Amino acid sequence: NAGVTQTPKFRVLKTGQSMTLLCAQDMNHEYMYWYRQDPGMGLRLIHYSVGEGTTAKGEVPDGYNVSRLKKQNFLLGLESAAPSQTSVYFCASSYVRREQYFGPGTRLTVT
Amino acid sequence: AQKVTQAQTEISVVEKEDVTLDCVYETRDTTYYLFWYKQPPSGELVFLIRRNSFDEQNEISGRYSWNFQKSTSSFNFTITASQVVDSAVYFCALSESSYGNKLVFGAGTILRVKS
């Protein structure tokens, strides 16, 4: 099993450009999440999904959109990137009320 | 509202020393879950332990042990006989039953183990 995978691993964007981060899991988990990690702030939840076709906002959702068209995939979109979105993005998945398993992260730089 | 505080920003120890990482949480729920994750220099997040609010038994796994005390809202993590490979950032996290399965993380503690 690959667990949780993220694509791409690194990306550099210019302000105003758009991109999509892909997260895939092969553990048949119902729940999926997107977090961002910034220095000294731990991880903060952007959006999450409790099942195929459902999404909800987390702690810091502004500037991001998500979609969960298939159970195993969770996409994070940036429509118009800003330097404040420079961060490391982690995807995670879990069963209900169980520990979350994280992907390797995507390092995004917006110039 | 839920909150996790890891007051120790950075700890440095010499190999073979014991070290305790502190975690204090705030929640209004009676049912909640506490977690510890390790983030080594390679960057991935590794799950270490999950504890629910009804189980206050301490847990030991090899050199790792966890002390959960509801009376002080703390869930501390001790590494016995630390090794260089323990050098990492350690995160404590909280999930409330009424908040779905979402995790609220502390800011993390950087542990540096010197040989």
Side-chain angles (χ1 to χ4, degrees):
Chain A
N1 287 353
V4 181
T5 59
Q6 291 182 232
T7 309
K9 289 186 170 51
F10 304 93
R11 186 73 185 267
V12 178
L13 288 179
K14 294 186 177 179
T15 297
Q17 287 184 322
S18 64
M19 78 163 293
T20 300
L21 282 67
L22 170 63
C23 176
Q25 53 96 4
D26 61 3
M27 296 176 281
N28 202 34
H29 287 163
E30 284 295 330
Y31 287 18
M32 295 187 75
Y33 317 80
W34 277 106
Y35 294 88
R36 59 178 289 170
Q37 182 179 22
D38 302 295
M41 300 187 72
L43 280 81
R44 293 180 294 167
L45 183 65
I46 304 171
H47 286 281
Y48 66 101
S49 167
V50 299
E52 182 178 321
T54 72
T55 63
K57 294 180 180 179
E59 182 185 353
V60 289
D62 294 342
Y64 305 95
N65 57 75
V66 288
S67 65
R68 184 122 180 249
L69 299 180
K70 293 182 178 181
K71 184 177 183 178
Q72 63 268 31
N73 295 338
F74 195 29
L75 305 179
L76 178 70
L78 286 73
E79 290 187 347
S80 180
S84 61
Q85 294 177 305
T86 293
S87 188
V88 181
Y89 292 86
F90 286 96
C91 176
S93 69
S94 74
Y95 291 118
V96 178
R97 287 187 293 278
R98 298 298 305 185
E99 60 275 11
Q100 295 180 20
Y101 289 92
F102 286 80
T106 295
R107 188 173 296 274
L108 175 65
T109 302
V110 183
T111 61
Chain B
Q2 64 276 22
K3 184 180 178 181
V4 176
T5 302
Q6 296 180 254
Q8 303 151 309
T9 303
E10 185 168 338
I11 302 174
S12 288
V13 298
V14 177
E15 216 172 8
K16 298 183 183 177
E17 281 187 24
D18 298 347
V19 58
T20 295
L21 309 181
D22 298 333
C23 173
V24 174
Y25 62 92
E26 295 178 26
T27 178
R28 292 179 185 162
D29 271 20
T30 56
T31 303
Y32 54 89
Y33 303 87
L34 294 163
F35 304 81
W36 276 94
Y37 284 85
K38 174 183 179 180
Q39 187 175 41
S42 53
E44 74 272 24
L45 282 148
V46 179
F47 165 73
L48 295 178
I49 188 170
R50 169 184 174 270
R51 174 68 70 205
N52 75 58
S53 54
F54 298 107
D55 183 1
E56 284 195 75
Q57 278 193 328
N58 292 334
E59 180 150 343
I60 298 174
S61 176
R63 296 184 297 107
Y64 294 172
S65 62
W66 291 269
N67 180 262
F68 177 27
Q69 291 195 336
K70 289 178 74 171
S71 60
T72 56
S73 297
S74 65
F75 186 43
N76 297 337
F77 173 30
T78 297
I79 301 175
T80 303
S82 60
Q83 300 176 1
V84 173
V85 292
D86 296 326
S87 296
V89 183
Y90 290 87
F91 292 99
C92 181
L94 166 70
S95 173
E96 292 179 333
S97 176
S98 62
Y99 195 49
N101 205 44
K102 300 183 291 293
L103 288 175
V104 172
F105 283 83
T109 296
I110 301 169
L111 175 64
R112 302 189 197 279
V113 181
K114 302 175 184 177
S115 59

